[in-house]
Amino acid sequence: MGKRYYCDYCDRSFQDNMHNRKKHLNGVQHHRAKKAWFDNFRDSSAILNDEKTKKPCRKFLQKGFCDFGPNCRFSHMSEEDLFYLKRQVEDERQLREDSVDRFMPERSIEEWLSRREKKQTARDTKEDIKTTEDSQEGQAESDVLQQLLSIPDLPPSLLPPPPGGWKVNVNTEWG
């Protein structure tokens, strides 16, 4: 029987030889199926820009379907669909901006390390020295930068202790 070629885009197989494969890969059905596949992964902002430039499809508006389907050069989106797509694009943009803002350092690592070192030396010498910046903040500054805590799924050994410390029973035996 011979080898068979299976096309993932078109979901069909045929006898594999140079003539059949070339004929299939250059065919209209294959190009449409390939375009439909890659359209599934398009960015919603690109889809919105394309739909804004298209005119509404009269046949789709009148009958609810179009003979050309996704290959139609006119838009099949209603005003409501466009509104939801605009909202989705704005939400995605806001999410990207929030993630960029979250990872922007409020102060440098070097500054944080020097302040931490000063606190360690103050604890070691049992002196209670507070810097003017700490008193202006009005609350105790944590020993861990927020950028370091933003990493998801940290193991428990890398998480900072809770504010009150861990609860330890008196009769706990280690070992």
Side-chain angles (χ1 to χ4, degrees):
M1 175 132 178
K3 285 184 154 186
R4 297 198 58 82
Y5 177 78
Y6 178 76
C7 178
D8 288 322
Y9 300 116
C10 303
D11 192 29
R12 62 180 292 228
S13 66
F14 49 87
Q15 187 175 4
D16 189 18
N17 61 39
M18 188 173 67
H19 174 72
N20 288 347
R21 189 184 291 204
K22 186 175 182 179
K23 184 178 175 183
H24 174 75
L25 294 177
N26 291 329
V28 175
Q29 281 184 325
H30 177 74
H31 285 285
R32 284 183 180 165
K34 187 176 174 182
K35 182 184 180 306
W37 171 260
F38 282 104
D39 283 348
N40 289 332
F41 304 105
R42 288 181 60 200
D43 188 29
S44 55
S45 61
I47 295 171
L48 180 64
N49 290 337
D50 286 349
E51 292 296 326
K52 280 184 177 179
T53 60
K54 293 180 181 179
K55 294 179 183 177
C57 179
R58 277 191 254 157
K59 192 168 191 177
F60 187 78
L61 290 175
Q62 291 171 352
K63 297 183 179 181
F65 68 93
C66 177
D67 296 332
F68 295 102
N71 299 319
C72 185
R73 64 182 185 154
F74 298 106
S75 176
H76 291 173
M77 290 192 128
S78 66
E79 292 295 324
E80 187 177 314
D81 294 337
L82 283 173
F83 174 74
Y84 287 125
L85 189 59
K86 285 179 188 176
R87 185 189 293 173
Q88 181 181 357
V89 169
E90 290 171 2
D91 290 345
E92 288 174 357
R93 183 185 52 80
Q94 185 67 35
L95 185 65
R96 279 195 307 268
E97 288 176 359
D98 289 346
S99 66
V100 168
D101 290 344
R102 183 175 49 209
F103 290 113
M104 291 294 289
E106 296 169 3
R107 59 179 189 256
S108 68
I109 300 283
E110 292 82 15
E111 180 185 341
W112 176 75
L113 284 172
S114 65
R115 293 173 104 203
R116 185 171 181 258
E117 187 176 332
K118 287 178 185 176
K119 284 184 179 182
Q120 292 291 338
T121 56
R123 281 190 209 136
D124 291 344
T125 58
K126 306 227 189 260
E127 294 177 10
D128 190 35
I129 300 173
K130 285 192 174 184
T131 62
T132 57
E133 291 178 9
D134 287 343
S135 61
Q136 289 174 355
E137 288 176 10
Q139 59 182 355
E141 184 181 351
S142 70
D143 266 357
V144 182
L145 274 178
Q146 291 301 317
Q147 295 94 334
L148 301 177
L149 293 177
S150 65
I151 301 170
D153 300 328
L154 282 175
S157 62
L158 296 179
L159 289 174
W166 285 289
K167 305 284 188 226
V168 179
N169 292 336
V170 178
N171 297 333
T172 305
E173 291 184 23
W174 296 89

